[in-house]
Amino acid sequence: MQNRQLGTFPVSAIGLGCMNICHAYGAPVSEAEAERLLRAALDAGVTHFDTAALYGFGVSETLVGKYLSADRSRFTLASKCGMQGVDVTGDGKLVRVIDGRPETIKATCEAALKRLKTDVIDLYYLHRWDKQVPIEDSVGALSDLVRAGKIQAVGLSEVSATTLRKAHAVHPIAAVQTEYSLWTRNPEIAVLDACKALGTAFVAFSPVARGFLCGEMDVSRFDAKDIRRSMPRFSPENYAANAKLLPGYFAIAHEVGCTPSQLAIAWLLHRGDHILPIPGTRTAAHLLDDLGAADVALSADVMARLDALINQHTVVGSRYNAQGNSEVDTEAFAV
């Protein structure tokens, strides 16, 4: 596995997003399956593991800590604060809350360190910018955590180039994490270039377009808790329109000699050396397929054909619904 720079950390070019084992795409996998996936990733040479307080309201961090802490020196650990589960009514039921106040960030970090069974988190992101709190205040709290030795580097998730620059003026931003794939091109508006100019790594989540680029699916059979049910691109009518892009895409994968998921991740790797994809998965088999993308070489002609086939003009539907769009700070293409 080739390496790329994540701030000061050399990490595997392809990392592992640890959301899917307990969050977002229906019922979580069993703990044994989660352990199998995490250990398989480490054994396969993955040295970049990405989790968050939000995922399973602490479950993902707990599993990473339980099964990987004994090998802590072998990988770079990233997690996130600023969006987590909170018991707002006192009945024990947790709800997702965005809270970027300094005191909340510091408390979330302390809880994360315990769940992760570590003394320090290598890269700690603000999961969402709480627009009720100046970004300078939230990043200031993260900077305090660096000085306290609780975290080593600061990251931001789903922010614009303007917000990145404001934050970077307070404390160096090691990485920006945002959805990026053939069908989500928002980072190309400004933040990719801003990252390159500032020496900030760009971490691409959902590199296989939330499964869209892996193969045709029946959106009517999504689990009731699958977050894609609320995403406009996966509505039955929009998905039917978007699925028309897949035969041409699969044909290119066949021509290149790789799987569809490998093609999607390889496209990202070819977009820039400062781009680090973190596919998420629930199985070791899918993980190993994803990692094969590191060995896929794409010609300029293939890259151009992929760009022309799947982009912001050919994909139907917003990536988030109205609420989701209101919670992010990323640039967006005009509709």
Side-chain angles (χ1 to χ4, degrees):
M1 175 72 72
Q2 58 186 278
N3 277 354
R4 293 193 171 185
Q5 284 299 127
L6 181 65
T8 61
F9 307 103
V11 298
S12 53
I14 301 171
L16 178 65
C18 300
M19 178 180 77
N20 302 39
I21 55 177
C22 63
H23 182 81
Y25 295 111
V29 299
S30 69
E31 187 167 326
E33 289 172 308
E35 178 187 8
R36 191 154 44 246
L37 172 66
L38 294 170
R39 296 302 310 179
L42 193 63
D43 292 343
V46 173
T47 58
H48 176 196
F49 288 80
D50 182 279
T51 183
L54 175 70
Y55 304 157
F57 296 148
V59 172
S60 177
E61 288 181 328
T62 298
L63 292 171
V64 170
K66 183 174 183 179
Y67 295 113
L68 295 183
S69 60
D71 292 290
R72 183 66 182 83
S73 63
R74 294 175 58 189
F75 65 93
T76 296
L77 174 63
S79 194
K80 309 179 195 74
C81 63
M83 184 161 64
Q84 56 271 326
V86 176
D87 181 3
V88 296
T89 60
D91 62 0
K93 184 178 180 180
L94 299 179
V95 295
R96 185 176 69 98
V97 171
I98 295 174
D99 186 347
R101 293 174 297 169
E103 61 269 28
T104 302
I105 287 172
K106 293 176 180 179
T108 304
C109 181
E110 292 294 341
L113 288 167
K114 292 177 183 177
R115 289 191 292 262
L116 290 163
K117 296 185 176 180
T118 188
D119 295 326
V120 60
I121 299 169
D122 298 317
L123 173 61
Y124 206 41
Y125 292 91
L126 185 66
H127 205 160
R128 290 290 187 276
W129 172 34
D130 179 353
K131 297 173 185 177
Q132 305 304 310
V133 178
I135 189 65
E136 294 87 350
D137 291 357
S138 295
V139 173
L142 291 167
S143 181
D144 289 343
L145 290 171
V146 173
R147 285 189 289 272
K150 305 288 186 180
I151 67 176
Q152 292 200 61
V154 175
L156 300 175
S157 178
E158 295 277 40
V159 297
S160 65
T162 297
T163 300
L164 168 60
R165 292 190 181 96
K166 288 180 180 179
H168 195 77
V170 175
H171 187 93
I173 302 301
V176 166
Q177 182 174 148
T178 293
E179 182 176 358
Y180 187 32
S181 68
L182 276 163
W183 88 337
T184 296
R185 302 296 196 94
N186 304 60
E188 296 174 5
I189 298 172
V191 80
L192 270 178
D193 288 341
C195 284
K196 194 167 187 177
L198 294 171
T200 298
F202 184 91
V203 177
F205 75 79
S206 295
V208 295
R210 301 188 184 273
F212 173 76
L213 294 173
C214 297
E216 293 195 34
M217 57 183 69
D218 183 351
V219 297
S220 69
R221 300 186 66 181
F222 283 162
D223 185 271
K225 293 184 178 180
D226 193 314
I227 60 172
R228 292 173 295 185
R229 282 189 171 274
S230 67
M231 294 179 174
R233 291 178 182 177
F234 289 99
S235 70
E237 59 276 13
N238 286 344
Y239 178 79
N242 291 326
K244 294 177 182 178
L245 301 170
L246 291 175
Y249 177 75
F250 295 154
I252 295 175
H254 180 75
E255 174 190 330
V256 171
C258 66
T259 66
S261 60
Q262 288 171 352
L263 182 62
I265 296 168
W267 176 83
L268 279 167
L269 292 173
H270 284 68
R271 294 290 294 177
D273 291 340
H274 66 307
I275 298 173
L276 297 89
I278 51 165
T281 183
R282 297 155 68 92
T283 70
H286 286 165
L287 163 73
L288 295 176
D289 180 42
D290 289 343
L291 297 182
D295 298 320
V296 175
L298 302 180
S299 68
D301 173 67
V302 167
M303 289 291 288
R305 286 158 54 198
L306 288 170
D307 284 334
L309 178 65
I310 304 177
N311 57 62
Q312 68 273 20
H313 303 297
T314 63
V315 171
V316 179
S318 173
R319 70 186 181 108
Y320 288 135
N321 60 16
Q323 178 181 339
N325 284 327
S326 73
E327 293 175 348
V328 299
D329 177 52
T330 51
E331 292 89 356
F333 291 102
V335 179

